[in-house]
C-alpha cells in the first residue's frame, strides 16, 4: 500500500508530506496568533502540534495548482481563490457540525460571514506561490530522508498519536462523554434484561 503511486508520488511520501505540512501549519498559525494575542496560543484543534487542515490543504493545493507552477501570477490568483473557497466550505461544515467556527474574521475588513476575509485571501495566494514554487520540493526531500522500514514505523506512530488526540478532542467538542454513554448503555441493557428475563 505504501509504495503505490498517486499522481506521480508514492503514498509514503504523501502521508509524510501531510504530517510535515500539518506541523508546519500549526507552527505558523500558532506563532501568528501568539503574536496577535500577546500570549502563547495553540491553534491546533487537538492538543498536539498538528493542524490537519493545513496538511490536506497543502496537498490538495499542490495537486490542483501544479499546472500553474510556471506562471506565478496565475498561481497566486488561482491559489488565493481555491484556498478561500476551501476555508469557507470548512467553516460552513464546522458551523453545521459544532455550531461554531474556530476562527472569526468579523472584525477584519472585507469579510464574509466572519468565515473568510480579504486579508486571508491575499495570504493564501502567497502561501500557494511559496508551497508550489519552493516548499513542496523541500518537504518531499524531507520525507525521503526516511527509509521505508524505520520511517514507516515513525510515521505509523505519528498517525496513531494524532488520531487518538484528534478523536479525543472531536468527541469532547461534540460533548460526548464516554462514561456517560457507558452508563446509558448499561441502563438500556438493564431495561432490556428486565423485560425479557
Amino acid at each position: 500500500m505504501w509504495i503505490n503511486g498517486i499522481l506521480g508520488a508514492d503514498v509514503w511520501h504523501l502521508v509524510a508530506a501531510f504530517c510535515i505540512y500539518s506541523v508546519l501549519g500549526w507552527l505558523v498559525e500558532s506563532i501568528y496568533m501568539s503574536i496577535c494575542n500577546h500570549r502563547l496560543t495553540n491553534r491546533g484543534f487537538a492538543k498536539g502540534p498538528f493542524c490537519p487542515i493545513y496538511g490536506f490543504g497543502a496537498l490538495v493545493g499542490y495537486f490542483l495548482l501544479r499546472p500553474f507552477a510556471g506562471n506565478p501570477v496565475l498561481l497566486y490568483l488561482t491559489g488565493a481563490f481555491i484556498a478561500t473557497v476551501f476555508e469557507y466550505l470548512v467553516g460552513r461544515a464546522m458551523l453545521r457540525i459544532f455550531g461554531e467556527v474556530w476562527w472569526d474574521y468579523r472584525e477584519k475588513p472585507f469579510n464574509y460571514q466572519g468565515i473568510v476575509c480579504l486579508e486571508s485571501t491575499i495570504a493564501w495566494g502567497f502561501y500557494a506561490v511559496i508551497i508550489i514554487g519552493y516548499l513542496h520540493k523541500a518537504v518531499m526531500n524531507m520525507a525521503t530522508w526516511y527509509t521505508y522500514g524505520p520511517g514507516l514505523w515513525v510515521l505509523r506512530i505519528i498517525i496513531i498519536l494524532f488520531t487518538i488526540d484528534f478523536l479525543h478532542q472531536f468527541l469532547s467538542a461534540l460533548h460526548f462523554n464516554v462514561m456517560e454513554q457507558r452508563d446509558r448503555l448499561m441502563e438500556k441493557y438493564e431495561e432490556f434484561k428486565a423485560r425479557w428475563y
Side-chain angles (χ1 to χ4, degrees), residues 40-149:
L40 287 176
T41 305
N42 176 7
R43 285 297 289 170
F45 170 67
K47 298 279 186 200
F50 211 85
C51 275
I53 191 170
Y54 285 101
F56 286 117
L59 289 177
V60 169
Y62 174 74
F63 290 124
L64 292 176
L65 299 172
R66 195 168 48 165
F68 307 110
N71 186 336
V73 173
L74 193 55
L75 175 61
Y76 176 88
L77 294 173
T78 308
F81 175 76
I82 289 174
T84 300
V85 169
F86 180 68
E87 183 177 39
Y88 181 75
L89 293 175
V90 169
R92 294 302 300 174
M94 289 175 83
L95 268 175
R96 189 171 184 89
I97 296 169
F98 303 114
E100 63 180 349
V101 179
W102 296 327
W103 61 89
D104 186 1
Y105 296 146
R106 282 179 288 191
E107 293 181 10
K108 304 272 186 189
F110 306 107
N111 77 79
Y112 181 68
Q113 297 178 348
I115 298 174
V116 294
C117 70
L118 182 61
E119 180 182 317
S120 286
T121 299
I122 290 168
W124 293 135
F126 284 115
Y127 285 148
V129 171
I130 291 167
I131 289 171
I132 306 304
Y134 308 99
L135 188 60
H136 190 72
K137 185 175 181 182
V139 166
M140 294 309 269
N141 286 339
M142 192 181 300
T144 305
W145 284 351
Y146 300 99
T147 61
Y148 284 101

Side-chain angles (χ1 to χ4, degrees), residues 2-70:
W2 293 99
I3 57 173
N4 295 329
I6 297 176
L7 296 173
D10 62 70
V11 175
W12 157 253
H13 281 82
L14 293 178
V15 174
F18 167 79
C19 290
I20 293 166
Y21 280 126
S22 295
V23 170
L24 287 175
W26 172 86
L27 186 63
V28 169
E29 180 112 359
S30 293
I31 289 171
Y32 174 75
M33 290 309 297
S34 294
I35 291 168
C36 290
N37 295 336
H38 305 292
R39 61 183 169 79
L40 287 176
T41 305
N42 176 7
R43 285 297 289 170
F45 170 67
K47 298 279 186 200
F50 211 85
C51 275
I53 191 170
Y54 285 101
F56 286 117
L59 289 177
V60 169
Y62 174 74
F63 290 124
L64 292 176
L65 299 172
R66 195 168 48 165
F68 307 110

